[in-house]
Amino acid sequence: MSITTSLRAAGLLAIVLTVSACSIGSGGGAGQTAAGQAIVASGTFVIDNIDPGSAQGGSAGKELAGQQIYGRLAKPDASGKLVPDLAEAWKSSADAKSWDFTLRGGLKFSDGSPLTAEDVVASFDRLIQINGPYAANYKGVTAKASSDITVTFTAQAPDPALPSKLTTLFVLPSGVPADAATYFAKPVASGPFMVESFKPSSELKMVPNPNYWGGTPKVTSLTIRSIPDMAAKLAALKTGEVDVVWGVPDDQIPALQSGTGLKVEAVPSNGNFTMWFNSGTPSLKEAKVRKALWQAVDFQTIIKQLYPVTGQPADSPLAPTVFGYAPQTPIAHDPGAAKKALEEAGYPFDKPLRLQFGQAQFKPFLQAVVSSWAKIGVKADLLQKEQAVFIEDLLAMKWDVNFQLLGTAGYDAATNLGRLYPCAAKRTGYCNPDLDELLAQAGSATDQNERKELYAQASKIIWEDAVGMFPMTSKVSYVWNENVSGFTLDALGYPDFSKASEWGN
C-alpha cells in the first residue's frame, strides 16, 4: 500500500496564535497603531547569511530568514503536522523509495517568472552540491522533474520520512550557483516576502512579495533586527520601536505580564537543550566518564531557578512533540558518585574542558553547569563564539562540549537522530555500529510503529552512552504589542508573518 499524505486547503497555513500555545498571561490597554504599517521583530537568532543551503553562518538564523523569503514543498504547522506550501499534494510508491510532489498551478517567483518543477530540482541539486548542514538528510536521493508541476524524488532505500526532511529545502530559481554571495544581497523570492536590504548580523528588512501564492502580506514591511542585549530589546518593545520579541528570559516574564499593551505566550518547542561531548577528546572517550560529568550537574535545580516557566527536565534526546520520542530513565544527580567514577577512570582534572556556545541568553545556564563541575574539581572554559565561528568550529570539532538548543526539522526523528548520530555524520566523535544499524533500519521502515520502536532503541543507546547531556525541553516565550496580530507562534522561534497585520487589519 502506498504512503499518501492527505492535504487540506491553503487556509491551514494561516494558523493564528495557535491554540497549542501555552498561555502565560497578557497585559491590557494599548495605544493604537495605523493598520498596514511595518512590523519590526527581534528574536533569538542572529541572521548573518540568507543563503538557505550554505554551510556558512548560523543555521537557525538562516532558517528564520528562509521561512520568510523562500517557499518549501511542505512545512509543519504549529502542531508539527505537515501542510502544503508550494506543493499541493504528495504521495509515495508502495515501497516508499519514490515520492511524487505536485506543485500548485500558476506559481511565480517574486520577479514574475514561473516557478516550476525544474526550479525545485535545481534547488535540491544545489543543496547537495554545497553539502550544507542538512545535506546528510538526502544521502542517495535524486530528484527529477516529471512534468512542469511534478517533482519525483527517488531514494536508494525506503524513506518514509522524506516529506519531513524536505521541510529543509527552500526553493530558488534555477541557475543560482553554489557560490553566490552577490546574488543573496537581494535574492529572488518564492515565499511571502522579498529582501529590501540586508545587513548581516544586524538587520534584515523585507517587503511583501506581490506574487506570493498565499496572497500578498498585509504589512508594508517586515524587519528582523538583531538586538543582543535583552534589556535593550525589551526597552525597544515597550517604546514601540520593536513590535514582537521572543526568547525572553523567564525572570522578565512577570513584569511583562503586568505591562500595558503587551501580550505574552509560550509554546512548547520541538527542541531540547543539547550538550554533546566530543568523544574524540581522549578524556571523554569512555561512556562512564561522560555519564559521570552528567551526574555531576544538578540540572533539576538549575532549570527550576532559571527556567520556571519555559523549561522542564528532558527525558530523551528528542522533545515530546517529535515523532520517535521515547522517554528514558533520568540520570540522577550524584556528585559523589560522579567524582569517584572520574577518579577511577583517571580523568585529567587539571585540564579544562572547552565548552562552546553561540548565543548570550544561554550563558547563565552554562555558568551554572560549569559551577556544578567545579564542585567536584572539573574545570571548564566557557567559550562564547560569534555565530559563524561557532558553526565553523562545531563542524571542525574544535570543542570538548558543545551547547545548542537543538530542534528537529519536520518533527521527525529522522532529521535529528538519523542525521546527526551515525558514524558517518562525524558530529560528536561518537561511533557505534549497533546504533548505525538501528538508525538505518528506522530510516527505511515503512511501518510507523516499527519506526517508532527503532528510534526508541536508538534513543536509549544515545542516552545511556551519554553521547551528550540532554538536560531540558524548552518552550519559546513570545511577547508582542497587542496591536499586532495574525503571526504564528512557532515552536522553535521561526514565526510566520505572512498573515500578520496591525490593529486588526
Side-chain angles (χ1 to χ4, degrees):
M1 180 180 294
S2 68
I3 300 174
T4 302
T5 304
S6 175
L7 306 176
R8 299 182 182 179
L12 276 174
L13 293 176
I15 297 175
V16 178
L17 303 182
T18 170
V19 296
S20 69
C22 175
S23 176
I24 55 177
S26 63
Q32 293 192 18
T33 302
Q37 289 189 353
I39 286 180
V40 179
S42 183
T44 307
F45 311 120
V46 173
I47 303 173
D48 54 11
N49 189 329
I50 57 174
D51 178 350
S54 173
Q56 303 303 314
S59 60
K62 287 187 300 181
E63 186 84 9
L64 171 61
Q67 293 190 19
Q68 317 305 324
I69 305 167
Y70 313 108
R72 296 172 282 178
L73 294 172
K75 64 182 183 180
D77 68 12
S79 69
K81 176 184 173 62
L82 285 187
V83 295
D85 194 1
L86 298 177
E88 64 180 5
W90 56 89
K91 64 180 181 179
S92 77
S93 59
D95 60 4
K97 289 184 179 180
S98 177
W99 286 86
D100 291 330
F101 284 77
T102 303
L103 301 181
R104 300 175 182 276
L107 289 173
K108 293 181 180 180
F109 287 105
S110 57
D111 63 358
S113 62
L115 190 162
T116 70
E118 292 287 358
D119 298 301
V120 177
V121 172
S123 300
F124 180 81
D125 291 344
R126 181 178 185 271
L127 186 152
I128 300 301
Q129 179 186 358
I130 291 175
N131 195 28
Y134 289 112
N137 276 332
Y138 309 111
K139 288 186 176 179
V141 178
T142 59
K144 72 173 183 178
S146 304
S147 72
D148 283 348
I149 62 168
T150 305
V151 184
T152 299
F153 294 89
T154 303
Q156 294 177 347
D159 194 348
L162 188 61
S164 293
K165 294 176 181 179
L166 286 168
T167 60
T168 64
L169 173 65
F170 294 94
V171 178
L172 308 171
S174 300
V176 178
D179 183 8
T182 302
Y183 175 85
F184 285 101
K186 279 196 174 182
V188 174
S190 56
F193 293 95
M194 308 181 296
V195 176
E196 182 172 277
S197 62
F198 176 46
K199 299 176 183 178
S201 303
S202 177
E203 182 178 281
L204 171 63
K205 185 173 182 179
M206 296 163 283
V207 294
N209 173 7
N211 291 312
Y212 177 52
W213 70 264
T216 305
K218 296 178 181 179
V219 295
T220 57
S221 69
L222 168 65
T223 300
I224 300 178
R225 186 173 296 161
S226 176
I227 308 177
D229 181 75
M230 184 56 66
K233 180 182 294 189
L234 294 179
L237 175 71
K238 292 174 183 177
T239 61
E241 179 184 348
V242 171
D243 301 294
V244 183
V245 303
W246 58 96
V248 177
D250 287 40
D251 63 358
Q252 301 290 325
I253 289 175
L256 294 167
Q257 286 176 309
S258 60
T260 58
L262 299 177
K263 292 187 176 182
V264 184
E265 287 197 31
V267 293
S269 168
N270 71 358
N272 280 355
F273 280 20
T274 299
M275 302 182 69
W276 283 335
F277 291 116
N278 183 347
S279 296
T281 299
S283 62
L284 300 176
K285 184 177 181 180
E286 296 184 46
K288 63 181 180 182
V289 169
R290 302 191 298 267
K291 184 171 284 189
L293 291 170
W294 194 346
Q295 283 182 302
V297 184
D298 186 2
F299 282 119
Q300 290 269 2
T301 298
I302 294 172
I303 293 167
K304 184 176 181 180
Q305 291 176 343
L306 295 180
Y307 300 101
V309 176
T310 62
Q312 64 180 45
D315 58 4
S316 167
L318 300 170
T321 55
V322 175
F323 175 85
Y325 159 80
Q328 306 299 318
T329 302
I331 303 297
H333 174 229
D334 191 336
K339 186 172 184 178
K340 181 179 179 181
L342 293 175
E343 290 172 341
E344 291 176 350
Y347 181 83
F349 288 93
D350 60 333
K351 186 174 183 181
L353 293 167
R354 299 168 296 169
L355 197 172
Q356 77 159 14
F357 68 109
Q359 290 154 339
Q361 70 266 28
F362 300 122
K363 190 172 184 178
F365 176 84
L366 297 173
Q367 287 174 325
V369 172
V370 170
S371 178
S372 288
W373 281 339
K375 291 177 182 178
I376 64 166
V378 172
K379 299 177 180 179
D381 291 333
L382 194 54
L383 306 173
Q384 182 180 354
K385 300 179 180 179
E386 186 271 330
Q387 193 67 19
V389 176
F390 169 82
I391 294 294
E392 182 179 345
D393 286 355
L394 168 64
L395 298 176
M397 303 292 292
K398 294 180 179 179
W399 49 272
D400 299 313
V401 185
N402 175 79
F403 173 88
Q404 287 177 280
L405 172 55
L406 187 59
T408 302
Y411 290 76
D412 194 295
T415 67
N416 184 313
L417 305 187
R419 177 173 65 94
L420 299 171
Y421 292 92
C423 298
K426 298 181 180 180
R427 284 298 189 93
T428 66
Y430 176 86
C431 180
N432 184 335
D434 292 337
L435 177 61
D436 272 17
E437 184 176 350
L438 279 172
L439 293 174
Q441 291 175 359
S444 61
T446 56
D447 180 270
Q448 293 291 72
N449 290 328
E450 181 184 2
R451 286 185 70 219
K452 190 171 183 178
E453 173 56 30
L454 289 167
Y455 281 127
Q457 294 177 38
S459 291
K460 184 176 182 180
I461 291 175
I462 293 166
W463 185 270
E464 293 187 350
D465 275 3
V467 178
M469 301 185 292
F470 307 94
M472 190 180 107
T473 296
S474 68
K475 294 178 182 177
V476 180
S477 55
Y478 288 84
V479 186
W480 68 98
N481 290 320
E482 68 175 10
N483 58 313
V484 177
S485 65
F487 66 96
T488 299
L489 303 182
D490 182 77
L492 202 57
Y494 305 140
D496 178 358
F497 290 98
S498 63
K499 303 297 181 183
S501 62
E502 291 209 42
W503 205 252
N505 183 39

Coordinates of all heavy atoms in Angstrom, one line a residue, residues 1 64 151 283 442 481 485:
M1 N 0.9 -1.2 0.0 CA 0.0 0.0 0.0 C 0.9 1.2 0.0 O 1.9 1.3 0.7 CB -0.9 0.0 1.3 CG -1.8 1.2 1.3 SD -2.9 1.2 2.8 CE -3.8 -0.3 2.5
L64 N 15.2 31.0 10.1 CA 14.3 32.1 10.3 C 14.1 33.0 9.1 O 12.9 33.3 8.7 CB 14.8 33.0 11.5 CG 14.0 34.2 11.8 CD1 12.5 33.9 12.1 CD2 14.7 35.0 12.9
V151 N 7.5 16.9 -9.3 CA 8.9 16.5 -8.9 C 8.9 15.1 -8.3 O 8.1 14.8 -7.4 CB 9.5 17.5 -7.9 CG1 11.0 17.2 -7.7 CG2 9.3 18.9 -8.4
S283 N 40.0 12.3 27.0 CA 39.5 12.2 28.3 C 38.0 12.0 28.3 O 37.4 11.6 29.3 CB 39.7 13.5 29.1 OG 39.1 14.6 28.5
A442 N 15.5 2.2 11.1 CA 14.4 3.1 11.3 C 14.2 4.0 10.1 O 13.0 4.3 9.8 CB 14.8 3.9 12.6
N481 N 3.4 43.6 21.1 CA 2.4 44.7 21.3 C 1.0 44.2 20.8 O 0.9 43.6 19.7 CB 2.9 45.9 20.5 CG 4.1 46.6 21.2 OD1 4.2 46.6 22.4 ND2 5.0 47.0 20.4
S485 N -1.3 41.3 15.1 CA -2.0 40.0 15.2 C -1.7 39.2 13.9 O -1.1 39.7 13.0 CB -3.5 40.3 15.3 OG -4.0 40.9 14.1

